[in-house]
Amino acid sequence: MNKPFKVLATATILAMAALPTAAFAQQGAATPVNETAITQAKVVLGTMGKITDFVNDKTGKFITVTGRGLAATDQSEIILSITKDTKIVDAKGQTVALKSIIDDKKVVKAFYGPNITKSLPARGTALTLVVQDRDFSAIQGTVSEVTEDGSIFVKGTDLYGGYNDEIILHLDPKATLLDQNHEAIEAGDIKAGMSVEAFYGPAVAMSLPAQSTTNYLVVNTDEIADLTPGTSGIIISKNEKTITVIGNPMEHGGTNYVMLHVDKDTVIVDENGAVLTADALKENSYIDAFYGNIMAMSYPGQTHADKIVVKAAQAVKAEGTITNSERAGEGRVYLNVGSDDKTENDIILNISDKTVILPLAGDDMELKDGMKVVVYHSPIMTKSLPGITNAEVVIVTPDNNTAAAQ
């Protein structure tokens, strides 16, 4: 189940609070000895971040610095030409090799003049690069939750690694909080569903999810995403008041197996938004079901369906035995439909990362020879014998007395 974390461990919060505020500072932590080369003119601009691209060819030597502007109007990402006049130093004014900065993924303050292009990203000439003593990380994503103590739970993508990331961020008392227009905002203006770019670290608590302190955030206060959890899947059973759905969780949370209570407060529509009655909820139907965060701790979980979108297509149900076959292979299994001696109705199932497999309690997710299964698959199938189709849901049944069970 993919759900927001509602409770922070007390020990972890106390440990985070005990860390010195200075440990998280990303600006002003160390001042270069020779500031004159940087502040010789009021029009010198700056970006603090990491070098995310490096080009060295016949046209010249260029770096891309990705991070945040030192001033609200400075660039968050810029391509800078490195010339013979560019000074590259550490916080003590000692010369540093550019290659070592790139290899070690060091944070730099990049200073450049006002003559920059209007392209995205802008281009200019680097005057001075100052390597920072402290590192930081950054995340671009959505505020999934704002906790009672004002911390924010962010799910998104690591700005520098590109991988999926999630972290609880505690706001430094002196944090710079800006909206999409780089106007100052208050911590109370940050709401769940808003997109955010946050810089944090260097210290990160090794909790689940990870936790750190941030002193710089840019928040889009104009748009709030729908964070309603849900399941995109197939109705595998229905009675007068409930439907059971198996599928994939929605982007902002949900579970792959859920029993939903349907009543007069449940909004039921088709893909075009036309209102439907509960009669439209049929077994094998593809649906998108949305529900709240509160769910009964049963198996499957149970909750009230707030909205259901019924899709036009329907899955096809088949029952049989997984059978060893040379026609199967990696990512495919052969299903002996009906578990009989006939082959004309057998099918080959493509198994992907979107296929939901519900194994028996304690079993792994691997489909093995001899397993009895109930399968819901795509209505689209090749005309070959046996036909080939995509498995949407595979449910392993208790009746497994063959090779797999032995």
Side-chain angles (χ1 to χ4, degrees):
M1 185 178 295
N2 181 12
K3 295 176 69 62
F5 291 83
K6 290 293 184 183
V7 180
L8 302 180
T10 302
T12 302
I13 296 175
L14 292 175
M16 293 296 300
L19 292 170
T21 301
F24 302 104
Q26 299 167 9
Q27 53 185 336
T31 304
V33 171
N34 183 7
E35 283 283 350
T36 58
I38 300 169
T39 59
Q40 56 187 333
K42 293 182 179 180
V43 292
V44 174
L45 310 177
T47 298
M48 183 162 68
K50 296 185 179 182
I51 297 174
T52 53
D53 193 24
F54 174 63
V55 175
N56 186 11
D57 57 23
K58 62 181 180 180
T59 65
K61 186 183 296 185
F62 303 90
I63 61 171
T64 300
V65 180
T66 304
R68 62 176 181 81
L70 294 180
T73 55
D74 292 347
Q75 303 295 311
S76 60
E77 184 173 58
I78 188 166
I79 300 173
L80 295 173
S81 171
I82 304 297
T83 71
K84 60 182 179 59
D85 296 321
T86 303
K87 292 180 171 58
I88 306 176
V89 297
D90 62 17
K92 297 179 180 180
Q94 302 296 316
T95 300
V96 180
L98 179 60
K99 184 177 186 301
S100 68
I101 300 173
I102 297 172
D103 290 345
D104 296 339
K105 299 179 181 179
K106 293 286 189 179
V107 174
V108 298
K109 284 184 181 178
F111 295 92
Y112 44 93
N115 295 323
I116 60 176
T117 66
K118 294 183 178 180
S119 59
L120 288 176
R123 304 177 72 98
T125 299
L127 302 177
T128 306
L129 301 182
V130 182
V131 184
Q132 303 300 290
D133 291 334
R134 296 187 180 277
D135 193 12
F136 63 70
S137 300
I139 186 172
Q140 290 178 319
T142 302
V143 178
S144 179
E145 183 180 5
V146 179
T147 65
E148 292 182 0
D149 68 352
S151 302
I152 61 174
F153 181 29
V154 180
K155 294 183 178 181
T157 304
D158 181 89
L159 183 63
Y160 298 114
Y163 52 82
N164 292 335
D165 197 12
E166 57 183 40
I167 190 167
I168 295 170
L169 296 175
H170 306 279
L171 304 186
D172 187 282
K174 297 181 179 180
T176 299
L177 308 178
L178 304 174
D179 66 10
Q180 65 279 6
N181 300 314
H182 284 262
E183 299 289 338
I185 61 173
E186 300 295 328
D189 297 327
I190 303 174
K191 308 295 182 185
M194 292 180 175
S195 58
V196 64
E197 183 174 87
F199 296 82
Y200 61 90
V204 178
M206 300 302 290
S207 56
L208 286 175
Q211 300 184 49
S212 188
T213 295
T214 178
N215 69 1
Y216 192 96
L217 295 95
V218 179
V219 184
N220 188 337
T221 58
D222 279 352
E223 296 182 5
I224 299 181
D226 183 4
L227 299 179
T228 305
T231 302
S232 180
I234 300 166
I235 299 175
I236 65 165
S237 66
K238 174 188 177 181
N239 61 32
E240 185 178 351
K241 297 182 179 180
T242 65
I243 59 173
T244 300
V245 181
I246 299 179
N248 290 285
M250 297 292 192
E251 179 182 359
H252 297 294
T255 180
N256 62 3
Y257 188 23
V258 62
M259 180 180 292
L260 297 172
H261 297 270
V262 180
D263 57 24
K264 60 181 179 58
D265 295 323
T266 303
V267 177
I268 305 173
V269 297
D270 65 15
E271 294 174 277
N272 298 316
V275 176
L276 303 174
T277 67
D279 292 336
L281 304 177
K282 303 180 184 298
E283 290 187 10
N284 302 353
S285 294
Y286 288 103
I287 65 169
D288 288 338
F290 300 90
Y291 40 84
N293 285 313
I294 300 175
M295 183 174 292
M297 297 300 292
S298 56
Y299 188 77
Q302 298 185 45
T303 188
H304 176 265
D306 296 330
K307 181 179 179 180
I308 299 174
V309 179
V310 181
K311 302 178 181 180
Q314 286 196 330
V316 179
K317 180 180 178 181
E319 298 183 46
T321 304
I322 302 295
T323 304
N324 185 28
S325 171
E326 62 182 13
R327 300 183 185 184
E330 185 176 355
R332 284 184 173 181
V333 297
Y334 186 101
L335 181 65
N336 176 2
V337 177
S339 303
D340 53 26
D341 295 330
K342 300 177 182 179
T343 60
E344 59 268 19
N345 62 344
D346 293 348
I347 54 178
I348 294 174
L349 300 168
N350 291 324
I351 308 296
S352 72
D353 57 356
K354 292 187 176 181
T355 303
V356 180
I357 301 174
L358 291 186
L360 296 174
D363 285 355
D364 57 31
M365 303 292 285
E366 183 181 357
L367 297 175
K368 301 176 182 178
D369 180 27
M371 281 184 169
K372 298 289 183 66
V373 295
V374 176
V375 176
Y376 295 84
H377 63 78
S378 168
I380 301 173
M381 182 182 296
T382 66
K383 294 183 179 180
S384 59
L385 287 175
I388 304 173
T389 186
N390 295 328
E392 311 280 1
V393 173
V394 180
I395 304 171
V396 181
T397 65
D399 183 16
N400 285 288
N401 298 318
T402 56
Q406 298 170 4

